[in-house]
Amino acid sequence: MAGATRKGLVIVHTGDGKGKTTAALGLMMRAWGRGMKVIMLQFIKNKNANWGEIRAARKMGVEIIPLGDGFVFSGEDEYNRSLALEGWTLCKEKILAPPEAYDMVILDEITYVIHYKWLSLEEVVDVLDRRPPMRHVVLTGRHAPQGLIDYADLVTEMRMIKHPLVDQGIKAQPGIEF
Amino acid sequence: MAGATRKGLVIVHTGDGKGKTTAALGLMMRAWGRGMKVIMLQFIKNKNANWGEIRAARKMGVEIIPLGDGFVFSGEDEYNRSLALEGWTLCKEKILAPPEAYDMVILDEITYVIHYKWLSLEEVVDVLDRRPPMRHVVLTGRHAPQGLIDYADLVTEMRMIKHPLVDQGIKAQPGIEF
């Protein structure tokens, strides 16, 4: 393609369906396969969690850092708000780290923090703008604000067509859902 | 949830957006993290490919088997048809293998083979029906036929909202696209 260039991409996975975090894990695996440096910061996952992805990351020697308390953000709770903002401080550090530190930074479920207006879109975009130019940043979660979609390079909406928990009363299963 | 049960799920990732294969890799990573046995068979990827996921799988000690010739199926070509059917024979073997062989079998881009009518949906469903009951099977690709969606437990449509190759003339990048 004439004039095609390489640059760090801002990638958004949003929508109400499964696969937003899971596809971010897939990006992590693929990048890790190429010897790239990847980190994932998870806003909702409990700090003491031992999910499939945390176990996998440990085996692979990649960093997945849970920032949360296992809650689903209510938008009401001062404790959760300060936990999320503390998490964002760490995210900022990673996004702005020297070029050699990371090829890809994944901010899992960060859209909730913006959605509840604990964190302004302007601040997120400002930090993304100042990152090393070859760094990929992946942001996941429902309700991605339109301004983030406008700013991003690659946006996929995961739409739920059918879900067994909803439709058939089948339990969440290890290795699939978590 | 009252009456909730565990069973092997049939999971479909379809739609025109990014993330179908990538989310399947994420499932693979999560399951592998839990010590589950996973295999991915890739219909479109070239047998000699050395993609990020193939390299990752090698490092993790999981099986990703490319079945194809790097083509995008045309629906016209006898060579591709026989290659795809040969691939299906191997898939069948894995889907029907004894329970202890695999917890999850991933059939990447298999929907094309059904879409081009090289393989009937009835045969796929028949084989899925006869699998060990706890085995998860993940099927990816555009144009998932309605009958497969009806049969599946969990279906996500990946919708392209924005794609840099299309919108901005940015090159496909290692660790992201492949």
Side-chain angles (χ1 to χ4, degrees):
Chain A
M1 189 182 300
T5 51
R6 281 198 174 157
K7 66 161 201 155
L9 299 177
V10 172
I11 298 173
V12 172
H13 297 164
T14 192
D16 65 354
K18 302 294 301 173
K20 298 183 291 292
T21 298
T22 317
L25 291 171
L27 287 173
M28 171 174 248
M29 176 175 156
R30 196 175 261 156
W32 173 79
R34 290 192 174 270
M36 292 163 69
K37 286 179 200 152
V38 198
I39 184 171
M40 177 184 278
L41 301 113
Q42 295 190 311
F43 272 92
I44 292 196
K45 294 294 170 69
N46 189 299
K47 284 182 181 179
N48 301 313
N50 197 15
W51 308 105
E53 61 256 43
I54 306 265
R55 298 187 198 191
R58 207 179 294 135
K59 292 207 260 179
M60 293 158 74
V62 298
E63 286 180 281
I64 297 187
I65 303 181
L67 303 169
D69 201 21
F71 51 86
V72 171
F73 294 117
S74 70
E76 296 292 329
D77 184 325
E78 188 52 39
Y79 169 70
N80 285 337
R81 179 177 176 277
S82 66
L83 204 60
L85 290 180
E86 207 178 279
W88 169 242
T89 302
L90 187 62
C91 293
K92 247 189 328 202
E93 215 173 86
K94 301 299 182 185
I95 299 168
L96 299 174
E100 64 278 13
Y102 300 105
D103 299 293
M104 183 185 291
V105 174
I106 301 172
L107 311 174
D108 188 42
E109 314 275 21
I110 191 177
T111 58
Y112 293 89
V113 188
I114 307 169
H115 183 70
Y116 286 117
K117 304 198 188 309
W118 292 342
L119 178 63
S120 74
L121 177 64
E122 290 65 34
E123 176 162 355
V124 175
V125 165
D126 172 66
V127 171
L128 290 174
D129 246 358
R130 291 189 285 120
R131 78 190 193 280
M134 292 304 292
R135 177 162 297 150
H136 304 296
V137 180
V138 183
L139 306 95
T140 83
R142 295 183 183 207
H143 312 301
Q146 188 58 43
L148 181 62
I149 291 172
D150 294 342
Y151 182 77
D153 299 296
L154 195 163
V155 181
T156 302
E157 180 194 351
M158 277 69 175
R159 283 186 62 212
M160 181 175 83
I161 304 290
K162 209 173 185 183
H163 194 299
L165 295 174
V166 177
D167 299 337
Q168 303 171 36
I170 292 172
K171 263 193 193 165
Q173 296 187 59
I176 300 281
E177 308 267 342
F178 54 91
Chain B
M1 189 183 299
T5 51
R6 280 196 176 158
K7 66 162 200 156
L9 300 177
V10 173
I11 298 174
V12 172
H13 297 163
T14 191
D16 65 354
K18 304 292 301 173
K20 298 183 291 292
T21 297
T22 317
L25 291 171
L27 287 174
M28 171 174 249
M29 175 174 156
R30 197 175 262 157
W32 173 79
R34 290 191 174 271
M36 292 162 70
K37 286 180 201 151
V38 198
I39 185 171
M40 178 184 275
L41 301 113
Q42 295 190 312
F43 272 92
I44 293 197
K45 295 294 170 68
N46 189 299
K47 285 183 180 177
N48 301 313
N50 197 17
W51 309 105
E53 62 256 42
I54 305 266
R55 298 187 197 191
R58 206 181 294 134
K59 290 207 260 178
M60 292 159 75
V62 297
E63 285 180 282
I64 297 187
I65 303 181
L67 302 169
D69 202 20
F71 52 87
V72 171
F73 294 115
S74 71
E76 297 291 329
D77 183 325
E78 189 52 40
Y79 168 70
N80 285 337
R81 180 179 175 277
S82 67
L83 204 60
L85 290 181
E86 206 178 280
W88 170 242
T89 302
L90 187 61
C91 292
K92 246 188 329 202
E93 214 173 88
K94 302 299 182 184
I95 299 168
L96 299 174
E100 63 278 13
Y102 300 105
D103 299 293
M104 184 185 290
V105 174
I106 302 171
L107 312 174
D108 189 41
E109 314 273 23
I110 191 176
T111 58
Y112 293 90
V113 188
I114 307 169
H115 183 69
Y116 286 118
K117 305 200 187 307
W118 292 343
L119 179 62
S120 74
L121 176 64
E122 290 65 34
E123 175 162 356
V124 175
V125 165
D126 172 64
V127 171
L128 290 174
D129 246 358
R130 290 189 285 120
R131 78 191 194 279
M134 293 305 293
R135 178 162 297 149
H136 303 296
V137 180
V138 183
L139 306 96
T140 84
R142 294 183 185 208
H143 312 301
Q146 187 58 45
L148 181 62
I149 291 172
D150 294 342
Y151 182 77
D153 300 296
L154 195 163
V155 181
T156 302
E157 180 194 351
M158 277 68 175
R159 285 186 60 213
M160 183 176 81
I161 305 291
K162 208 173 184 183
H163 194 300
L165 295 174
V166 176
D167 301 336
Q168 304 171 34
I170 293 172
K171 263 194 192 165
Q173 297 188 58
I176 299 280
E177 307 269 342
F178 54 90

